[in-house]
């Protein structure tokens, strides 16, 4: 499993035996070590209007849905994806401060049906039903 970019985050799903990784670019990679190619999907984190390439700082599989993963990014957004449809995320949550400036999100995880993110603004907890 080789990537052309530095890895920043990784998570393995016990539900689907896939590995998801975040790198120093705006692409989430999904890997299947059981296949000869191993790289199965690349999910592009679209950041229109940002004007720079952003890094995928955190990735995490849903503990209850084998098709759902979350990704955090330096563009200030948290995205939830269904890997069966990789063209568009299911949900995009923008993280802005009170002045509407973008605040980086450094990590994401699921906890008891909640989506937890950490970044420049501290920790945020959101409900997400998947």
């Amino acid at each position: 499993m080789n990537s052309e970019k530095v890895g920043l985050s990784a998570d393995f799903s016990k539900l689907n035996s896939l590995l998801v990784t975040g790198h120093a670019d705006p692409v989430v990679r999904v890997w299947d070590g059981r296949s000869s190619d191993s790289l199965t999907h690349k999910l592009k984190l679209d950041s229109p209007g940002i004007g720079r390439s952003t890094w995928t700082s955190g990735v995490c599989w849903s503990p209850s849905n084998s098709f759902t993963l979350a990704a955090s990014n330096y563009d200030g957004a948290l995205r939830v994806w269904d890997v069966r449809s990789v063209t568009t995320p299911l949900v995009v949550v923008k993280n802005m401060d009170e002045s509407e400036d973008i605040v980086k999100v450094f990590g994401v995880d699921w906890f008891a049906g909640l989506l937890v993110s950490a970044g420049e603004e501290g920790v945020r907890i959101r409900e997400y039903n998947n």
Side-chain angles (χ1 to χ4, degrees):
M1 293 185 197
N2 291 323
S3 174
E4 62 279 2
K5 297 291 182 176
V6 172
L8 300 175
S9 181
D11 190 41
F12 179 77
S13 172
K14 293 178 184 176
L15 298 177
N16 61 23
S17 298
L18 297 176
L19 178 71
V20 61
T21 58
H23 298 262
D25 64 10
V27 178
V28 174
R29 292 162 177 84
V30 178
W31 307 85
D32 186 347
R34 300 166 295 184
S35 72
S36 60
D37 187 13
S38 78
L39 182 62
T40 62
H41 299 301
K42 283 187 174 184
L43 311 175
K44 176 77 168 129
L45 301 180
D46 191 17
S47 304
I50 300 299
R52 66 184 191 284
S53 178
T54 59
W55 292 7
T56 306
S57 52
V59 291
C60 188
W61 285 105
S62 167
S64 60
N65 185 324
S66 63
F67 301 111
T68 304
L69 63 90
S72 60
N73 196 263
Y74 284 5
D75 70 355
L78 184 66
R79 291 170 177 82
V80 178
W81 295 86
D82 183 322
V83 294
R84 296 171 293 185
S85 175
V86 298
T87 56
T88 306
L90 297 172
V91 176
V92 178
V93 179
K94 300 277 186 184
N95 283 319
M96 305 283 192
D97 65 13
E98 292 175 6
S99 66
E100 295 296 311
D101 289 332
I102 293 170
V103 293
K104 293 178 182 176
V105 182
F106 298 122
V108 62
D109 203 352
W110 302 88
F111 174 73
L114 302 170
L115 198 53
V116 180
S117 63
E120 290 179 322
E121 268 199 328
V123 176
R124 289 192 175 185
I125 299 173
R126 297 176 179 85
E127 287 189 49
Y128 182 80
N129 300 319
N130 67 73

